[in-house]
């Protein structure tokens, strides 16, 4: 993963390639920087403005789209996080509000916006962003909501049959002692197809039910979206550290299988937790800490900016989950 200094140095080289005529090569290099950790550090909106000023507005717009796809902070004033006084603080807040109103939202941007709101003392707006109504839980096995039902056992078998195609990570960013299988939606198995159909149905319903009262950080949802999917198969003590998903609008977690002991009354093994950032004070409203047992067939939906993690399994076994990011398409 690139550190901030290296990412910004490489980004400057990629921009120079664009300005010298190698637009495709420059954008590919820039996208690689964002993918390798630069999305947290590179001021993409500033770079896009530089390209537009240099007479390359179409390249600038492509850079903006690239930034959103990789979860970068697209604020001019907020990306640097150094608002020294109230005037600069208000400018940064207004910049984010303008982006959110235009449907340009990302998890990193929401996190930084929340930090600015805390500095401004606007706890009511913090609570609107951390609205517990944004978190949903569905049982995809019973069909009581009229949607497609899913066989979690079938999903688990399809994934276990492809376990050797995945990559085991002792530690990969927030994931510990787990095997990751990418592009689950491409697996041609009936249970996987049903899962993708069921998720799209619940996403469309979620979007329809948000209503005008929802904070602009959630908005009405993207007009067009894609599903980015992967499976995390946690071995024994494998689990996820606190993290958010940079690229999504909504993040979903579907449980396919878990050791039976994890479902016993009073057990906490393998559980999913959704919490809040450490910088948010206790007196601010909104969700605090929510817990979901890893029941096979359960689908948990949350804003992609929601901080979440899992508890490790305390004895041998596999926790099989599918993660799904609902990502806006330009």
């Amino acid at each position: 993963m690139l550190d901030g200094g290296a990412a910004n140095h490489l980004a400057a080289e990629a921009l120079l390639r664009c300005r010298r005529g190698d637009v495709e090569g420059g954008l590919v290099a820039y996208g690689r920087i964002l993918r390798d950790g630069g999305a947290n550090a590179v001021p993409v909106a500033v770079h896009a403005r530089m390209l537009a000023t240099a007479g390359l507005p179409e390249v600038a717009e492509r850079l903006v789209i690239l930034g959103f796809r990789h979860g970068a902070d697209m604020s001019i004033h907020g990306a640097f996080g150094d608002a020294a006084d109230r005037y600069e603080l208000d400018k940064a807040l207004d910049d984010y509000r303008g982006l959110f109103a235009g449907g340009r939202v990302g998890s990193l941007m929401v996190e930084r916006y929340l930090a600015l709101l805390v500095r401004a003392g606007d706890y009511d707006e913090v609570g609107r962003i951390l609205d517990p109504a944004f978190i949903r839980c569905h049982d995809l096995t019973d069909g009581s909501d009229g949607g497609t039902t899913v066989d979690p056992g079938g999903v688990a078998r399809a994934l276990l049959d492809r376990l050797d195609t995945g990559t085991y990570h002792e530690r990969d960013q927030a994931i510990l002692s787990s095997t990751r299988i990418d592009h689950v939606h491409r697996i041609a198995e009936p249970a996987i197809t049903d899962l993708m159909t069921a998720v799209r149905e619940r996403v469309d319903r979620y979007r329809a039910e948000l209503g005008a009262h929802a904070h602009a950080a959630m908005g009405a949802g993207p007009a067009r979206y894609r599903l980015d999917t992967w499976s995390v198969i946690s071995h024994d003590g494998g689990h996820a550290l606190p993290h958010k998903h940079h690229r999504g609008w909504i993040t979903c977690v579907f449980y396919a299988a878990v050791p039976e002991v994890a479902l016993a009354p009073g057990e906490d093994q393998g559980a999913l937790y959704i919490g809040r950032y450490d910088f948010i004070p206790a007196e601010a409203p909104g969700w605090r800490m929510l817990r979901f047992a890893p029941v096979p067939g359960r689908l948990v939906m949350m804003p992609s900016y929601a901080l979440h993690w899992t508890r490790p399994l305390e004895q041998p076994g596999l926790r099989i989950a599918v993660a799904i990011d609902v990502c806006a398409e330009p």
Side-chain angles (χ1 to χ4, degrees):
M1 299 293 287
L2 295 171
D3 62 32
N8 279 284
H9 175 75
L10 292 171
E13 293 182 346
L15 292 172
L16 186 60
R17 291 177 66 176
C18 290
R19 296 182 67 174
R20 288 177 173 174
D22 183 13
V23 172
E24 298 306 322
L27 290 177
V28 168
Y30 201 101
R32 190 180 304 118
I33 295 161
L34 297 179
R35 184 194 64 207
D36 292 343
N40 285 327
V42 174
V44 182
V46 175
H47 292 164
R49 180 173 288 186
M50 290 167 57
L51 289 173
T53 303
L56 298 169
E58 293 181 358
V59 181
E61 182 58 24
R62 290 178 65 185
L63 191 71
V64 168
I65 293 172
L66 195 62
F68 275 108
R69 288 187 69 94
H70 287 278
D73 188 339
M74 303 306 297
S75 164
I76 292 286
H77 297 282
F80 299 102
D82 293 325
D85 55 31
R86 185 68 204 207
Y87 174 78
E88 291 185 3
L89 183 60
D90 288 340
K91 287 284 288 184
L93 287 168
D94 287 344
D95 196 17
Y96 282 119
R97 287 169 181 148
L99 288 164
F100 296 166
R104 294 192 156 179
V105 184
S107 294
L108 180 61
M109 295 163 65
V110 175
E111 178 187 358
R112 289 176 174 173
Y113 183 66
L114 282 166
L116 292 172
L117 288 175
V118 169
R119 287 182 57 188
D122 193 346
Y123 294 169
D124 287 342
E125 189 172 354
V126 169
R128 290 183 59 216
I129 295 173
L130 302 183
D131 186 345
F134 293 159
I135 298 173
R136 309 285 178 87
C137 183
H138 298 276
D139 179 358
L140 299 188
T141 66
D142 69 1
S144 60
D145 63 0
T148 298
T149 59
V150 179
D151 172 18
V155 173
R157 288 189 294 274
L159 294 170
L160 288 174
D161 285 346
R162 292 160 177 81
L163 188 61
D164 59 351
T165 70
T167 304
Y168 177 78
H169 299 279
E170 190 63 36
R171 176 161 186 164
D172 177 33
Q173 299 182 47
I175 305 299
L176 306 179
S177 303
S178 301
T179 297
R180 174 170 170 147
I181 302 174
D182 287 322
H183 308 304
V184 171
H185 60 284
R186 298 179 184 173
I187 297 175
E189 293 285 351
I192 300 293
T193 300
D194 288 343
L195 174 59
M196 296 303 121
T197 300
V199 168
R200 285 188 176 275
E201 291 170 352
R202 274 66 178 192
V203 168
D204 291 342
R205 187 180 308 158
Y206 184 110
R207 183 171 52 182
E209 292 174 352
L210 271 179
H213 72 281
H215 191 278
M218 285 298 291
R224 297 175 59 247
Y225 64 84
R226 71 182 188 277
L227 301 182
D228 285 354
T229 62
W230 64 99
S231 175
V232 176
I233 301 177
S234 299
H235 304 254
D236 301 339
H239 63 288
L241 300 172
H243 67 289
K244 63 182 182 300
H245 291 205
H246 282 273
R247 300 182 187 182
W249 170 60
I250 297 172
T251 291
C252 306
V253 181
F254 174 78
Y255 296 101
V258 70
E260 195 168 322
V261 66
L263 302 176
E267 277 293 344
D268 201 36
Q269 298 184 49
L272 169 68
Y273 281 87
I274 300 173
R276 52 205 282 172
Y277 299 101
D278 289 343
F279 60 76
I280 298 177
E283 57 266 33
W287 74 66
R288 298 183 184 279
M289 188 178 296
L290 305 173
R291 176 190 179 277
F292 297 92
V295 178
R298 173 169 284 174
L299 179 77
V300 179
M301 306 173 71
M302 70 189 94
S304 293
Y305 58 76
L307 196 68
H308 59 285
W309 62 95
T310 62
R311 294 283 299 165
L313 297 173
E314 297 173 2
Q315 46 198 297
L318 296 177
R319 173 185 177 274
I320 304 176
V322 179
I324 305 155
D325 276 348
V326 180
C327 301
E329 288 282 52

